[in-house]
Amino acid sequence: MKDLQVTILAAALMAFFVLIATSIKPLNPMKRALENFSFTDIYYEILRDSGEPDTSRVITIVDITRLTNRTDIANTLRDIEAAGPKVVGVDCCFDNEGEDLEGNYAITSVAEDYDNIVWALKMLDHSGIDSIGWTKEIHSFFAYFVDITEGTVNMPRTLYDPTKRTLPLSERFEGSDKPSIAVKVANAYAGKDLTYGRTGDIKINFSPTVFRVLQPEDVPRHPELITDQIVMFGAMYEDADTHWVPGGKIAGVELLAYSIQTLIYSKEFKTLSKPLYWLISFLLVLMAQVLVGYFVDWTWNSENIMLKFLVGSTYSINILLAIVSVLFVYLGFRVFAYYNISFNMAWVLSVIAFLGTARLMHTSIVNYKTAKARKREEQQAKTINQQ
């Protein structure tokens, strides 16, 4: 019963401080930091430090950062097609015709000749109403007279948290859904619908992966990296198209590659339902408290003076709680690595940090009640003696 009471008290203390941090206006930055924190980022960091990253076996990126005209872009696309890719995703939109007639003709010819290319589609001017969505589409200029396949390339953006962790499977345009380029490319590669009708966001799996990158001049020399592969065609070193993700900053085309890989291998990380999450979290904290209680009883009942007062001190208990916290984080990491289930240990660790204080408060409350009961008994005895 004592362990359960201490656990509940520690949870109440943590909830009280969170309430203060999220209710007082000057602490708004702390509130935003708590809202934007994701424990999954810690798991990814452990993955990066625990070994060599995998090399993607299905996706190759062709970098177009140095390509400056449409003729060169078209020629590179033809070089790619000559190697026989399964599907090509073009992460750039040729929205303006401009005055490069030769380049316009070259890129239009590519769109006419190959039907395994998914071209970029941009969305602009959101209505502010989710059911309606965007109100303006930006197509490549040749989309109006050539039958092409398109996918949206809009990236989610938030005011205070620039880190990308999800990608929309589709965008809402005037009441209808437009699939993203990641979905179009992944479905074309797999030959089936990998979203199974979903239209929300996908939680991108950022397990460390090396995507092979070819420069345009290297494409004819390495057909083995293209044949029957997914080829993502976009800029790898353009500052305007870079995004923060767990682990650092990457190019937009690389972010799409991670999204496609997540869909193909069905490795979207999952989270537990809220009731199950809170139940497991509470049981983990209770387990930590039971372990500390056993440790304290063992040291207190020892006949060794050093073990009784030094090892059983508050500092030793705090060290034990720190070790338990590390073990819980490692447990959460193994579950994440093997089963793609992200268990947010932030609440568990926060409550464990209050266990020491909760134990002292519980002891004070028990001592107060004991003293009060003793005083009441003494008063009753005194009254009886007077009578």
Side-chain angles (χ1 to χ4, degrees), residues 240-285:
D241 189 25
T242 55
H243 305 271
W244 286 103
V245 300
K249 207 172 187 181
I250 63 175
V253 67
E254 196 173 1
L255 178 58
L256 289 174
Y258 272 110
S259 304
I260 294 166
Q261 183 172 260
T262 301
L263 285 169
I264 290 174
Y265 292 121
S266 299
K267 283 192 173 182
E268 179 184 9
F269 74 82
K270 301 171 282 293
T271 55
L272 300 178
S273 65
K274 286 187 177 181
L276 183 59
Y277 168 76
W278 289 116
L279 175 62
I280 293 176
S281 297
F282 184 82
L283 291 177
L284 287 174
V285 178

Side-chain angles (χ1 to χ4, degrees), residues 81-317:
E81 290 290 355
K86 192 78 172 284
V87 60
V88 179
V90 178
D91 184 28
C92 58
C93 189
F94 305 95
D95 49 327
N96 297 316
E97 253 186 284
E99 299 179 355
D100 183 9
L101 299 181
E102 182 181 352
N104 290 343
Y105 175 77
I107 200 71
T108 301
S109 296
V110 170
E112 291 175 334
D113 293 344
Y114 303 103
D115 60 2
N116 65 337
I117 300 178
V118 181
W119 302 88
L121 170 63
K122 295 180 181 179
M123 298 288 177
L124 295 177
D125 300 338
H126 200 280
S127 65
I129 303 173
D130 291 339
S131 60
I132 297 176
W134 305 93
T135 59
K136 184 177 180 181
E137 290 181 317
I138 304 296
H139 302 268
S140 291
F141 71 91
F142 47 81
Y144 297 100
F145 50 86
V146 179
D147 185 18
I148 61 173
T149 301
E150 294 177 296
T152 62
V153 291
N154 292 57
M155 294 291 180
R157 297 185 182 276
T158 56
L159 181 60
Y160 296 109
D161 184 16
T163 305
K164 303 291 187 300
R165 298 185 179 92
T166 63
L167 185 82
L169 294 173
S170 64
E171 294 287 351
R172 198 77 171 164
F173 174 72
E174 294 186 345
S176 62
D177 294 318
K178 300 283 186 177
S180 73
I181 191 171
V183 170
K184 287 283 191 177
V185 169
N187 288 350
Y189 179 81
K192 61 180 181 179
D193 182 12
L194 297 175
T195 65
Y196 303 101
R198 286 178 55 190
T199 57
D201 291 351
I202 182 175
K203 298 181 182 70
I204 305 171
N205 191 319
F206 285 105
S207 298
T209 304
V210 175
F211 296 101
R212 298 160 298 185
V213 179
L214 294 177
Q215 294 302 315
E217 63 272 17
D218 296 328
V219 171
R221 295 196 291 267
H222 294 284
E224 74 280 1
L225 300 181
I226 295 175
T227 304
D228 293 329
Q229 300 283 298
I230 294 172
V231 176
M232 291 305 296
F233 191 73
M236 281 291 291
Y237 307 105
E238 189 174 295
D239 289 340
D241 189 25
T242 55
H243 305 271
W244 286 103
V245 300
K249 207 172 187 181
I250 63 175
V253 67
E254 196 173 1
L255 178 58
L256 289 174
Y258 272 110
S259 304
I260 294 166
Q261 183 172 260
T262 301
L263 285 169
I264 290 174
Y265 292 121
S266 299
K267 283 192 173 182
E268 179 184 9
F269 74 82
K270 301 171 282 293
T271 55
L272 300 178
S273 65
K274 286 187 177 181
L276 183 59
Y277 168 76
W278 289 116
L279 175 62
I280 293 176
S281 297
F282 184 82
L283 291 177
L284 287 174
V285 178
L286 180 60
M287 186 187 304
Q289 164 55 26
V290 170
L291 181 61
V292 170
Y294 176 80
F295 177 78
V296 170
D297 292 341
W298 175 66
T299 54
W300 184 253
N301 294 327
S302 174
E303 296 180 358
N304 188 310
I305 300 300
M306 180 178 176
L307 185 66
K308 187 172 184 177
F309 293 102
L310 183 60
V311 179
S313 67
T314 302
Y315 299 106
S316 299
I317 294 174

Side-chain angles (χ1 to χ4, degrees), residues 39 42-43 46 272 280-281 283-285 287 323-345 348-349 352:
F39 213 87
I42 296 176
Y43 295 146
I46 298 174
L272 300 178
I280 293 176
S281 297
L283 291 177
L284 287 174
V285 178
M287 186 187 304
I323 294 173
V324 171
S325 298
V326 171
L327 289 175
F328 283 172
V329 171
Y330 180 76
L331 175 64
F333 166 71
R334 299 316 301 178
V335 170
F336 178 78
Y338 283 108
Y339 304 105
N340 292 318
I341 297 175
S342 179
F343 189 88
N344 187 354
M345 285 287 178
V348 175
L349 300 183
I352 287 177

